[in-house]
Amino acid sequence: MKIAKRVLEALNNNEPVVALESTIISHGMPYPQNVKVALEVEKIIEDEGAVPATIGIIDGEPIIGMSHEEIEEFGKREGILKVSRRDLGYVIASKSWGATTVAATMILASKAGIKIFVTGGIGGVHRGATSTFDISADLDELSKTDMCVVCAGPKAILDLDLTMEYLETKGVLVLGYNCSSLPCFYSRSSNIPLEYHAEDPKFIARIIKAQKDLSLSNGILVTNPIPEQYSLDKDKMNIVIEAAIDKMNKLGIKGKEETPFLLKEIVAITKGESLNANIALVKNNAHLGAKIALELTKL
């Protein structure tokens, strides 16, 4: 893999580094807004005193810390593959372009020595999974890759109860950052209580260190609620999501195309309100992730 000079220097000098995924650029938002948001998120991390490392695969080479020019190309290029754990070998061997999901970003960031990763929302157990067995690889990755993932909860299009059950079975610690119930992406809260909470980045850093001292290989999921002014009504959003899922099923869309379709459809139904919420929560997570990374370097 290729590690950008600034990222490598930071890692070698015990400076805080925060990993960022590239699927949100190529599959999560339209161009040019995707590039604008990606660069704004990097700037937030820099302003907090950390080094951003956006991760993607270019011509089969994993890049840890994409340049602004590479991010621009990712934002407008057609046909970039969506890459999870199972796809990494193929994309690298075929010298393809690949956008890393939560799972693939965790793997590559961990191999580079990065401990903090900021995203919007993780994948999980899809609605209807009791018959389809549609479960995101993100959950398994959290159970076996040592990474602190900061998100606004699982994506709201999922079955949140089953997602939490799966994470518990896999031994993944789910922390609520200044919240007592699971944030559900577009909305600040749900009816799912969280057993463990954290009120400041310093405590989260101590948990990460404790897991490292115990040589535990699993990750930690920090759920950070969307800022209140951008939070959407949970019940109304559920109606929107059900409508989007119904359309997806009628069109026969399946597999890794489901999430991009649903997110795009939800943006259309909400007339862009959900996209604004998505942008706000990612930026909010960037602030927190950088603060955790900074505290972790002190330990």
Coordinates of all heavy atoms in Angstrom, one line a residue, residues 6 41-42 71-72 102 119 123 134 177 184 201 206 216 234 238 273 290 299:
R6 N 2.6 12.8 4.7 CA 2.2 13.4 5.9 C 1.6 12.4 6.9 O 1.8 12.5 8.1 CB 1.1 14.5 5.6 CG 0.6 15.2 6.8 CD 1.7 16.1 7.4 NE 1.3 16.7 8.7 CZ 1.6 16.2 9.9 NH1 2.3 15.1 10.0 NH2 1.2 16.8 11.0
V41 N -14.5 17.7 5.5 CA -14.3 16.7 6.6 C -12.9 16.6 7.0 O -12.5 16.6 8.1 CB -14.9 15.4 6.3 CG1 -14.5 14.3 7.4 CG2 -16.5 15.4 6.3
E42 N -12.0 16.6 5.9 CA -10.6 16.5 6.2 C -10.1 17.8 6.9 O -9.3 17.8 7.8 CB -9.8 16.4 4.9 CG -9.9 15.0 4.3 CD -8.7 14.7 3.3 OE1 -8.1 15.7 2.9 OE2 -8.4 13.5 3.1
I71 N -9.0 12.6 -4.6 CA -10.4 12.7 -4.1 C -11.3 13.3 -5.1 O -12.4 12.8 -5.3 CB -10.5 13.5 -2.8 CG1 -9.8 12.7 -1.6 CG2 -11.9 13.9 -2.4 CD1 -9.6 13.5 -0.3
E72 N -10.8 14.3 -5.8 CA -11.6 14.9 -6.9 C -11.9 13.9 -8.0 O -13.1 13.8 -8.5 CB -10.8 16.1 -7.5 CG -11.4 16.7 -8.8 CD -12.6 17.6 -8.4 OE1 -12.7 18.1 -7.3 OE2 -13.5 17.8 -9.3
V102 N -16.9 0.5 5.1 CA -16.4 0.5 6.5 C -15.5 -0.6 6.7 O -14.4 -0.5 7.3 CB -17.6 0.5 7.4 CG1 -17.2 0.2 8.9 CG2 -18.4 1.8 7.4
T119 N -16.8 7.6 10.2 CA -17.7 7.4 9.0 C -19.0 8.0 9.4 O -19.2 8.7 10.4 CB -17.8 5.9 8.8 OG1 -18.6 5.7 7.6 CG2 -18.5 5.2 9.9
G123 N -22.9 -0.3 8.2 CA -23.9 -1.3 7.7 C -24.3 -2.2 8.9 O -23.7 -2.2 10.0
D134 N -29.3 -11.2 4.8 CA -28.5 -10.0 4.3 C -28.0 -9.3 5.5 O -28.7 -8.5 6.1 CB -29.4 -9.1 3.5 CG -28.7 -8.1 2.7 OD1 -27.4 -7.9 2.9 OD2 -29.3 -7.4 1.8
Y177 N -22.1 8.2 22.9 CA -21.4 9.4 23.3 C -22.4 10.4 23.7 O -23.2 11.0 22.9 CB -20.6 9.9 22.1 CG -19.7 11.1 22.5 CD1 -18.7 11.0 23.4 CD2 -20.0 12.4 22.0 CE1 -17.9 12.1 23.7 CE2 -19.3 13.5 22.3 CZ -18.2 13.4 23.2 OH -17.5 14.5 23.6
C184 N -29.8 6.7 15.5 CA -30.1 5.9 14.3 C -30.0 6.8 13.1 O -30.9 7.1 12.3 CB -31.5 5.3 14.4 SG -32.9 6.3 14.9
P201 N -13.9 12.5 25.1 CA -13.0 11.7 24.3 C -11.9 11.0 25.1 O -11.4 10.0 24.7 CB -12.4 12.8 23.4 CG -13.4 13.8 23.3 CD -14.0 13.9 24.7
R206 N -9.1 5.9 26.8 CA -8.7 5.0 27.8 C -9.3 3.6 27.6 O -8.6 2.6 27.9 CB -9.2 5.5 29.2 CG -8.3 6.6 29.7 CD -9.0 7.3 30.9 NE -9.3 6.4 32.0 CZ -10.2 6.7 32.9 NH1 -10.8 7.8 33.0 NH2 -10.5 5.8 33.9
L216 N -6.9 -7.5 22.9 CA -8.2 -7.9 22.3 C -8.2 -7.4 20.8 O -7.7 -6.3 20.5 CB -9.4 -7.2 23.0 CG -9.6 -7.6 24.5 CD1 -10.7 -6.8 25.1 CD2 -9.8 -9.1 24.6
K234 N -37.9 10.5 13.7 CA -37.7 9.1 13.5 C -38.9 8.4 12.9 O -38.7 7.6 12.0 CB -37.4 8.4 14.9 CG -37.1 6.9 14.8 CD -36.5 6.5 16.1 CE -37.4 6.7 17.3 NZ -38.6 5.9 17.4
N238 N -39.0 6.7 9.1 CA -39.3 5.3 9.0 C -40.3 5.1 7.8 O -40.2 4.1 7.0 CB -39.9 4.7 10.3 CG -39.7 3.2 10.3 OD1 -38.6 2.7 10.0 ND2 -40.7 2.5 10.7
E273 N -33.4 16.9 2.3 CA -33.3 17.0 3.8 C -32.4 16.0 4.4 O -31.6 16.2 5.3 CB -34.7 17.0 4.4 CG -34.7 17.6 5.8 CD -36.1 17.8 6.4 OE1 -37.0 17.2 5.8 OE2 -36.2 18.4 7.5
A290 N -11.4 13.1 15.7 CA -10.1 13.8 15.9 C -9.7 14.0 17.3 O -8.6 13.8 17.7 CB -10.1 15.1 15.1
L299 N -1.7 8.8 25.6 CA -1.6 7.6 26.4 C -0.5 6.6 25.9 O -0.3 5.6 26.5 CB -2.9 6.8 26.4 CG -4.1 7.6 26.9 CD1 -5.4 6.8 26.8 CD2 -3.9 8.0 28.4

